[in-house]
Amino acid sequence: RRKMNLKSERRGIHVDQSELLCKKGCGYYGNPAWQGFCSKCWREEYHKARQKQIQEDWELAERLQREEEEAYASSQSTQGAQSLTFSKFEEKKTNEKTRKVTTVKKFFTASSRAGAKKEIQEAKAPSPAIHRQASIETDRVSKEFIEFIRTYQKPGQDIYKQCKLFLDTMSHKRDLSIEEQSECAQDFYQNVADRLQTRWKVPPEKVEKAMDEVEKYIMTRQYKYVFCPETTDDEKKDLAVQKRIRALHWVTPQMLCVPVSEEIPEVSDMVVKAITDIIEMDSKRVPRDKLACITKCSKHIFNAIKITKNEPASADDFLPTLIYIVLKGNPPRLQSNIQYITRFCNPSRLMTGEDGYYFTNLCCAVAFIEKLDAQSLNLSQEDFDRFMTGQTSPKKQESDTFSPDVCLGVKQMCKSLDLLSQLNERQERIVSEAKKLEKDLIDWTEGITKEVEDIVEKYPLEIKPKSQALAAIDSENVENDKLPPPLQPQVYAG
């Protein structure tokens, strides 16, 4: 009951299923990166914002033009003054584009990351082994894609042409912001799906399969340019999340009300597999493959909960366990992977289905970790601050006292011996209490007996001899002669 009460008090861990959906009410899954909207609604809002910005820019340009004409007519200013007036508008137009670049340059220096710009690549090119590995994977994916589209005949040829055209176009758009490149990719997905459905009349199930292969082909080739680009703050967010998770190393499953018992060997294996899957996500290049790692991790979590509770897991059980897995695994470049999936995954996979559901829960788990506080863990603010600063730590579980190289059998044996020791102490405590109770009963009996003897001694019992039999009432009366004679019965004859 206490566990259930704690769970009900920690409202930060609980996420209602309606909160996972798009806040516009379209029925698809939302995403924190899209401010709670689904991919479709977010693009609509994004286009509205862009149109509004364009309109504001036009109004600003017209106003500056009028001011320039008025200034010229009144003072016949020089050409240099006119250029100064127009520079205000140019500065406003280019400010948004240059802001991120100038900000990032303050924090990051040139690196050998695959997504570096051309001049950085010339200064420090990646190692031949990395380049050769990327080329091998790219060639393999290209061959697989060509083999796949052959089965679609003419629609396949059209798909291949569209993909080549898209890749060629993207090669000339490296200077665009990552949001604009993401929008180009999303438009491309939508256009290819529409062409397959309307022009070539391809069945929906084959369209979905084709879109998966298209995504695999183009994103394998685009991965090094669009994953964690230096013009964004993705790397900064990765370091912040990694530091946050390391600071929360003291959080125990009991604090999160995780319904998983790692003492069960099968459950322990499921937890290890879940952590492995979430870490393996970073090694994938295709958004769909990264989503598959999240889905496999989530299914291992559900199996671990089911084995522990001996009943199917609920959504309220899943999210705390996912948070625990993320805290325990500390996946590399977590925010970069989430942003990459959000920007370049086929939107249909994020809006519906189990992949979209698990991905949305992962985003909620990361958001919860970033905002985790004392109330969420049912701790006092003082204890939470001490744990975060490392001044003290919660009492560790027995499993934490073993070295990593100790086998599972030795751990179980030590735990059994410890349990037997605790039972022995409990038994000795019970026997001691029983003996004490027996002594108290004996002392109480002796005390009562002594009190009775004292009372009897103080007030002895006197036994009088048996009295004589009582005579007639008037046997001792000496004045019997003065009494009248007794009445005699008389016969009435009449």
Side-chain angles (χ1 to χ4, degrees):
R1 176 180 294 180
R2 176 61 178 167
K3 187 175 181 179
M4 294 178 63
N5 291 338
L6 292 178
K7 189 172 183 179
S8 62
E9 292 173 2
R10 296 169 193 160
R11 297 181 179 180
I13 300 179
H14 173 74
V15 175
D16 191 83
Q17 295 303 297
S18 61
E19 299 178 11
L20 302 178
L21 300 177
C22 175
K23 65 181 183 181
K24 202 170 182 179
C26 63
Y28 295 115
Y29 289 121
N31 192 288
W34 297 325
Q35 299 180 6
F37 293 102
C38 68
S39 176
K40 181 179 179 181
C41 296
W42 168 248
R43 294 185 67 192
E44 293 176 356
E45 296 294 327
Y46 179 72
H47 282 299
K48 290 180 182 179
R50 287 192 61 186
Q51 292 298 326
K52 183 179 179 180
Q53 183 64 40
I54 293 173
Q55 183 65 28
E56 291 178 354
D57 291 341
W58 273 105
E59 293 175 356
L60 177 63
E62 292 176 355
R63 181 171 59 83
L64 292 176
Q65 181 66 26
R66 287 195 303 269
E67 291 177 357
E68 180 204 3
E69 293 175 354
E70 293 174 358
Y72 180 78
S74 62
S75 61
Q76 297 182 354
S77 60
T78 61
Q79 186 66 26
Q82 297 177 15
S83 302
L84 181 62
T85 305
F86 275 108
S87 66
K88 296 180 180 179
F89 173 69
E90 294 298 330
E91 180 181 358
K92 185 178 187 303
K93 290 292 292 181
T94 58
N95 180 54
E96 182 63 24
K97 184 175 180 179
T98 59
R99 179 178 58 82
K100 291 184 178 180
V101 178
T102 55
T103 302
V104 171
K105 287 181 179 178
K106 297 179 182 178
F107 296 100
F108 301 107
T109 58
S111 64
S112 60
R113 192 188 302 120
K117 291 185 176 180
K118 183 177 180 180
E119 58 272 14
I120 298 177
Q121 289 177 342
E122 293 175 354
K124 188 175 181 180
S127 64
I130 297 176
H131 180 71
R132 182 166 55 253
Q133 181 180 1
S135 300
I136 293 174
E137 185 174 357
T138 302
D139 293 341
R140 178 181 59 82
V141 171
S142 300
K143 291 178 181 179
E144 292 177 355
F145 182 66
I146 293 174
E147 291 295 329
F148 171 78
I149 62 176
R150 285 178 180 175
T151 61
Y152 280 66
Q153 298 178 353
K154 290 185 178 181
Q157 296 177 4
D158 188 25
I159 293 173
Y160 185 73
K161 291 180 181 178
Q162 296 296 326
C163 291
K164 296 293 289 185
L165 180 61
F166 172 76
L167 292 174
D168 183 63
T169 303
M170 292 299 294
S171 65
H172 296 87
K173 294 184 177 182
R174 302 286 185 230
D175 294 334
L176 293 179
S177 67
I178 195 65
E179 288 77 14
E180 292 174 324
Q181 296 184 53
S182 171
E183 186 177 0
C184 292
Q186 299 296 328
D187 290 338
F188 174 73
Y189 290 143
Q190 186 64 42
N191 293 334
V192 172
D194 292 342
R195 288 175 70 90
L196 289 175
Q197 292 176 351
T198 59
R199 180 177 179 180
W200 300 106
K201 309 298 181 183
V202 178
E205 60 276 4
K206 296 190 68 176
V207 171
E208 183 178 356
K209 179 64 177 176
M211 293 307 301
D212 290 341
E213 295 297 327
V214 167
E215 177 190 320
K216 180 179 179 181
Y217 174 63
I218 66 172
M219 294 315 303
T220 301
R221 300 176 68 93
Q222 292 290 311
Y223 176 78
K224 62 181 180 179
Y225 303 111
V226 298
F227 182 83
C228 192
E230 291 188 351
T231 55
T232 65
D233 59 349
D234 291 350
E235 188 173 0
K236 184 178 179 180
K237 291 180 179 179
D238 288 335
L239 296 176
V241 171
Q242 189 178 55
K243 183 179 179 180
R244 176 69 172 175
I245 293 177
R246 286 177 178 175
L248 294 170
H249 66 90
W250 49 268
V251 177
T252 63
Q254 291 74 21
M255 294 179 180
L256 295 170
C257 285
V258 175
V260 169
S261 176
E262 295 185 66
E263 296 181 357
I264 304 174
E266 190 175 359
V267 174
S268 179
D269 292 341
M270 292 292 179
V271 171
V272 172
K273 290 179 180 178
I275 295 175
T276 303
D277 290 332
I278 198 68
I279 293 177
E280 188 181 2
M281 174 179 62
D282 186 59
S283 66
K284 304 299 181 181
R285 303 181 70 180
V286 184
R288 180 169 59 91
D289 293 341
K290 293 181 182 290
L291 275 181
C293 292
I294 298 174
T295 300
K296 288 192 296 182
C297 169
S298 301
K299 290 185 176 181
H300 286 314
I301 290 175
F302 273 106
N303 290 334
I305 297 174
K306 182 178 180 181
I307 295 173
T308 302
K309 298 180 64 177
N310 199 22
E311 63 181 14
S314 64
D316 291 338
D317 296 330
F318 170 67
L319 184 58
T321 311
L322 179 60
I323 294 170
Y324 172 68
I325 293 297
V326 174
L327 289 175
K328 194 170 183 179
N330 198 357
R333 299 193 291 185
L334 182 57
Q335 281 288 5
S336 292
N337 282 286
I338 291 177
Q339 292 294 334
Y340 176 70
I341 294 172
T342 302
R343 293 164 181 161
F344 296 102
C345 184
N346 187 353
S348 62
R349 285 195 170 273
L350 298 183
M351 294 164 62
T352 58
E354 62 177 7
D355 289 342
Y357 173 77
Y358 295 138
F359 179 72
T360 304
N361 275 273
L362 177 62
C363 295
C364 292
V366 175
F368 174 82
I369 291 173
E370 293 175 341
K371 299 177 181 179
L372 186 142
D373 55 12
Q375 184 179 2
S376 302
L377 300 176
N378 200 32
L379 296 174
S380 64
Q381 189 62 42
E382 293 76 11
D383 290 342
F384 182 82
D385 294 337
R386 284 198 297 268
F387 296 156
M388 289 296 292
T389 56
Q391 297 178 2
T392 183
S393 61
K395 184 179 179 181
K396 293 186 177 181
Q397 302 296 317
E398 294 298 327
S399 58
D400 296 337
T401 62
F402 297 107
S403 60
D405 55 345
V406 176
C407 66
L408 183 61
V410 174
K411 293 181 180 180
Q412 293 292 340
M413 180 186 66
C414 293
K415 290 179 181 179
S416 299
L417 290 175
D418 183 67
L419 181 60
L420 289 174
S421 177
Q422 294 178 8
L423 292 175
N424 186 36
E425 293 177 0
R426 181 181 176 184
Q427 181 67 19
E428 290 178 355
R429 187 165 58 252
I430 293 175
V431 171
S432 176
E433 294 293 335
K435 290 182 178 179
K436 182 180 178 182
L437 178 61
E438 181 182 11
K439 184 176 180 300
D440 291 342
L441 290 174
I442 293 174
D443 293 343
W444 179 77
T445 303
E446 292 178 351
I448 294 298
T449 302
K450 189 174 183 304
E451 289 180 4
V452 171
E453 291 176 352
D454 292 342
I455 293 174
V456 170
E457 183 179 356
K458 186 175 181 180
Y459 304 102
L461 180 62
E462 296 180 1
I463 300 177
K464 296 180 179 180
K466 186 178 180 180
S467 59
Q468 298 179 355
L470 296 177
I473 295 176
D474 53 355
S475 60
E476 298 179 358
N477 194 343
V478 294
E479 298 178 355
N480 288 340
D481 54 341
K482 295 180 179 180
L483 294 174
L487 297 177
Q488 295 296 327
Q490 296 177 8
V491 180
Y492 177 73

Short mmCIF file of all heavy atoms in Angstrom, two decimals, residues 12 27 52 91 121 182 206 241 245 354 471 474 477:
data_model
loop_
_atom_site.label_atom_id
_atom_site.label_comp_id
_atom_site.label_asym_id
_atom_site.label_seq_id
_atom_site.Cartn_x
_atom_site.Cartn_y
_atom_site.Cartn_z
N GLY A 12 4.92 13.67 -11.26
CA GLY A 12 5.86 13.97 -12.33
C GLY A 12 6.18 12.78 -13.18
O GLY A 12 6.53 12.92 -14.34
N GLY A 27 -5.24 13.51 -33.32
CA GLY A 27 -5.21 12.08 -33.06
C GLY A 27 -3.85 11.44 -33.23
O GLY A 27 -3.67 10.27 -32.86
N LYS A 52 4.08 34.66 -41.93
CA LYS A 52 3.96 35.87 -41.12
C LYS A 52 5.27 36.64 -41.12
O LYS A 52 5.28 37.88 -41.23
CB LYS A 52 3.56 35.50 -39.70
CG LYS A 52 3.34 36.69 -38.80
CD LYS A 52 2.91 36.25 -37.40
CE LYS A 52 2.73 37.46 -36.49
NZ LYS A 52 2.32 37.05 -35.12
N GLU A 91 20.45 43.79 -42.49
CA GLU A 91 20.91 43.23 -41.22
C GLU A 91 19.83 42.39 -40.56
O GLU A 91 20.09 41.32 -40.02
CB GLU A 91 21.32 44.37 -40.30
CG GLU A 91 21.84 43.90 -38.93
CD GLU A 91 22.21 45.06 -38.04
OE1 GLU A 91 22.10 46.21 -38.51
OE2 GLU A 91 22.59 44.81 -36.90
N GLN A 121 37.00 20.25 -43.18
CA GLN A 121 37.42 18.95 -43.69
C GLN A 121 38.81 19.04 -44.32
O GLN A 121 39.62 18.11 -44.21
CB GLN A 121 36.41 18.45 -44.71
CG GLN A 121 35.08 18.04 -44.09
CD GLN A 121 34.08 17.61 -45.13
OE1 GLN A 121 34.23 17.91 -46.30
NE2 GLN A 121 33.06 16.90 -44.72
N SER A 182 15.69 19.84 -43.05
CA SER A 182 14.68 18.90 -42.57
C SER A 182 13.37 19.08 -43.33
O SER A 182 12.71 18.11 -43.71
CB SER A 182 14.45 19.10 -41.08
OG SER A 182 13.34 18.36 -40.62
N LYS A 206 2.73 -1.56 -50.03
CA LYS A 206 3.95 -1.47 -50.83
C LYS A 206 4.53 -0.05 -50.79
O LYS A 206 5.75 0.14 -50.88
CB LYS A 206 3.67 -1.88 -52.27
CG LYS A 206 3.25 -3.34 -52.42
CD LYS A 206 3.21 -3.77 -53.88
CE LYS A 206 4.60 -3.80 -54.49
NZ LYS A 206 4.60 -4.31 -55.88
N VAL A 241 22.76 16.80 -21.07
CA VAL A 241 21.99 15.62 -20.65
C VAL A 241 22.91 14.57 -20.05
O VAL A 241 22.58 13.94 -19.03
CB VAL A 241 21.22 15.04 -21.86
CG1 VAL A 241 20.59 13.70 -21.49
CG2 VAL A 241 20.14 16.01 -22.30
N ILE A 245 22.55 13.15 -16.24
CA ILE A 245 22.36 11.73 -15.90
C ILE A 245 23.46 11.26 -14.96
O ILE A 245 23.20 10.49 -14.02
CB ILE A 245 22.33 10.89 -17.19
CG1 ILE A 245 21.07 11.23 -18.00
CG2 ILE A 245 22.36 9.41 -16.87
CD1 ILE A 245 20.98 10.50 -19.33
N GLU A 354 3.48 1.68 -33.08
CA GLU A 354 4.23 1.45 -31.86
C GLU A 354 5.56 2.21 -31.85
O GLU A 354 6.03 2.64 -30.80
CB GLU A 354 4.48 -0.04 -31.66
CG GLU A 354 5.30 -0.71 -32.75
CD GLU A 354 5.56 -2.18 -32.44
OE1 GLU A 354 4.98 -2.69 -31.47
OE2 GLU A 354 6.35 -2.80 -33.19
N ALA A 471 -33.95 -26.32 70.36
CA ALA A 471 -35.12 -26.94 71.00
C ALA A 471 -36.38 -26.17 70.61
O ALA A 471 -36.31 -25.26 69.78
CB ALA A 471 -34.94 -26.92 72.51
N ASP A 474 -40.56 -22.54 73.11
CA ASP A 474 -40.97 -22.24 74.49
C ASP A 474 -40.55 -23.31 75.47
O ASP A 474 -41.14 -23.50 76.52
CB ASP A 474 -42.50 -22.07 74.56
CG ASP A 474 -43.23 -23.26 73.98
OD1 ASP A 474 -42.50 -24.17 73.44
OD2 ASP A 474 -44.45 -23.29 74.03
N ASN A 477 -39.31 -21.80 78.67
CA ASN A 477 -40.24 -20.87 79.32
C ASN A 477 -40.73 -21.48 80.66
O ASN A 477 -41.31 -22.55 80.69
CB ASN A 477 -41.45 -20.61 78.40
CG ASN A 477 -42.28 -19.42 78.86
OD1 ASN A 477 -42.16 -18.97 80.03
ND2 ASN A 477 -43.13 -18.94 78.01
#
